[in-house]
């Protein structure tokens, strides 16, 4: 494992220490029993639920422990290993990279998420990753609600040396997306990444705006948008589930990216999201640098949440 790989895994495991420590606190006092009775299994299940892992995952772990309740002493190490294994089983089917497969080009990726989730920075990181794969990339500043969002995206486009289509604050987002698709098609761009407004205060207004963008894209290419990626802030915990619920309704989300996993993350919610919604998880953000958007590895995530060691 290279130093770079070690470094980002250290940030992931460090960022999720709050989750694994909380798990340990909730399970405290349940270890050292030679056999597990129903009461102890119930207590373990409750501890997992309040650790943000969700009732479905808690039930999975309970059932797994119940299978071998007379054969294994309940130690913290054993329980964490069981939790990691069950989490990985849930996460593995939804670990799916964001692939550029659309033909004709461009592949249009709408990026959505509430303000402050790291949406604009994630767009830049996605663009960087696609550039590293030798794809032609263009950005569209479709979040016309905030001048800061337009300016920030322009700065990133300049740093990356890629074209951007943008308008003024308060402008017509659908019109900007239309112009961007036309330009991308004319210039042979492979990937068009579209920023969108992230305000949830007026859900009807947001729904109307996103619906208009989708109609415009559909006229240009019935398969577009090819991807609708929701960016989630890992520090928000259970609030992320309500965001998924709303954005699934208004934007037809096709996949997830979780950011800020290097901070005080509450990553257990990603397990609950995978169990409930089965949406592909494309990548995770583990830092502020442009290269800090990493492919989603279910094994690493499972071990980080459960608080077990990763192989160096």
């Amino acid at each position: 494992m290279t130093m770079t790989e070690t470094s980002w895994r250290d940030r992931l495991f460090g960022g999720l220490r709050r989750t694994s420590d909380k798990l340990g606190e909730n399970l405290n006092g349940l270890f050292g029993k030679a056999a597990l009775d129903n009461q102890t299994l119930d207590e373990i299940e409750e501890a997992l639920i309040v650790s943000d892992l969700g009732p479905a995952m808690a039930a999975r772990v309970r059932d797994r422990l119940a299978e071998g309740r007379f054969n294994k002493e309940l130690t913290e190490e054993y329980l964490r290993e069981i939790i990691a294994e069950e989490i990985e089983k849930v996460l593995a089917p939804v670990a799916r990279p964001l692939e550029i497969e659309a033909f004709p080009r461009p592949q249009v990726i709408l990026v959505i998420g509430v303000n402050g989730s790291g949406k604009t920075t994630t767009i830049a990181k996605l663009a960087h990753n696609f550039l590293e794969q030798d794809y032609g990339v263009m950005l569209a500043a479709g979040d016309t609600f905030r001048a800061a969002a337009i300016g920030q995206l322009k700065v990133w486009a300049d740093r990356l040396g890629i074209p951007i289509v943008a308008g003024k604050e308060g402008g017509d987002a659908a019109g900007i997306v239309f112009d961007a698709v036309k330009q991308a098609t004319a210039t042979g761009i492979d990937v068009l990444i579209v920023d969108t407004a992230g305000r949830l205060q007026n859900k009807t207004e947001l729904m109307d705006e996103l619906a208009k963008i989708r109609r415009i894209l559909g006229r240009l290419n019935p398969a577009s948008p090819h991807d609708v990626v929701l960016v989630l802030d890992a520090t928000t915990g259970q609030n992320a589930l309500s965001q998924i619920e709303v954005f699934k309704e208004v934007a037809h989300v096709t996949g997830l990216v979780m950011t800020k996993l290097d901070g005080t993350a509450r990553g257990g919610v990603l397990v609950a999201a995978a169990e409930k919604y089965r949406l592909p998880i494309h990548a995770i953000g583990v830092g502020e640098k442009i290269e800090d958007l990493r492919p989603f590895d279910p094994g690493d995530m499972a071990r980080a949440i459960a608080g077990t060691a990763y192989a160096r």
Side-chain angles (χ1 to χ4, degrees):
M1 181 178 293
T2 67
M3 181 61 69
T4 300
E5 290 172 330
T6 302
S7 176
W8 81 258
R9 281 188 170 86
D10 284 341
R11 292 199 297 276
L12 172 63
F13 276 69
L16 285 169
R17 187 153 295 137
R18 174 178 174 179
T19 298
S20 59
D21 286 351
K22 180 180 178 182
L23 184 63
E25 291 171 6
N26 292 333
L27 293 169
N28 189 37
L30 299 177
F31 305 115
K33 299 189 178 183
L36 298 176
D37 56 22
N38 287 328
Q39 180 181 342
T40 303
L41 289 170
D42 288 343
E43 291 172 355
I44 291 171
E45 186 172 10
E46 291 170 10
L48 296 175
I49 291 173
V50 298
S51 299
D52 288 336
L53 291 174
M57 174 54 61
R60 278 174 172 267
V61 174
R62 186 191 196 284
D63 291 345
R64 174 81 181 274
L65 291 171
E67 290 174 3
R69 70 167 82 184
F70 300 113
N71 302 322
K72 192 81 174 181
E73 179 184 350
L74 183 64
T75 64
E76 182 171 359
E77 180 181 7
Y78 171 67
L79 181 53
R80 286 187 184 271
E81 288 292 341
I82 293 296
I83 293 169
E85 289 172 10
E86 293 303 315
I87 289 176
E88 186 170 2
K89 288 178 185 177
V90 169
L91 295 181
V94 299
R96 194 180 311 164
L98 194 56
E99 303 283 2
I100 305 307
E101 302 171 329
F103 187 83
R105 299 285 205 250
Q107 180 157 327
V108 179
I109 302 172
L110 293 187
V111 180
I112 60 180
V114 299
N115 297 334
S117 64
K119 174 167 57 81
T120 308
T121 306
T122 297
I123 289 172
K125 292 175 180 178
L126 284 171
H128 169 75
N129 286 351
F130 291 136
L131 289 171
E132 291 286 295
Q133 299 172 58
D134 293 324
Y135 289 116
V137 184
M138 177 183 285
L139 304 182
D143 183 357
T144 59
F145 188 69
R146 295 186 306 130
I150 299 170
Q152 187 181 4
L153 207 63
K154 285 181 176 178
V155 169
W156 277 117
D158 184 60
R159 289 180 185 173
L160 293 168
I162 58 177
I164 181 172
V165 176
K168 296 180 180 179
E169 181 182 4
D172 179 20
I176 289 168
V177 174
F178 177 86
D179 290 342
V181 174
K182 298 292 279 188
Q183 289 186 37
T185 302
T187 56
I189 291 292
D190 297 300
V191 190
L192 173 64
I193 308 177
V194 181
D195 191 11
T196 61
R199 59 194 186 281
L200 287 181
Q201 294 87 342
N202 188 332
K203 191 171 73 171
T204 301
E205 185 178 328
L206 177 61
M207 184 183 298
D208 291 345
E209 183 174 291
L210 289 172
K212 185 177 179 182
I213 290 173
R214 294 184 72 98
R215 285 197 304 272
I216 290 292
L217 289 171
R219 290 173 191 165
L220 296 169
N221 181 348
S224 182
H226 303 87
D227 304 282
V228 181
V229 177
L230 173 59
V231 178
L232 297 169
D233 179 343
T235 66
T236 62
Q238 291 296 314
N239 190 45
L241 295 179
S242 61
Q243 290 178 29
I244 296 174
E245 197 72 48
V246 172
F247 278 112
K248 274 179 85 295
E249 177 188 348
V250 304
H252 309 290
V253 177
T254 62
L256 307 173
V257 171
M258 181 161 273
T259 64
K260 305 182 185 179
L261 281 164
D262 57 317
T264 54
R266 296 168 64 186
V269 72
L270 195 59
V271 181
E275 189 93 57
K276 183 174 182 179
Y277 298 107
R278 310 288 181 181
L279 287 166
I281 302 172
H282 299 308
I284 57 172
V286 291
E288 294 299 319
K289 295 181 181 178
I290 196 70
E291 65 271 15
D292 285 338
L293 188 70
R294 308 295 305 193
F296 178 63
D297 185 311
D300 279 342
M301 180 62 73
R303 288 186 289 274
I305 292 171
T308 62
Y310 66 84
R312 293 182 180 270

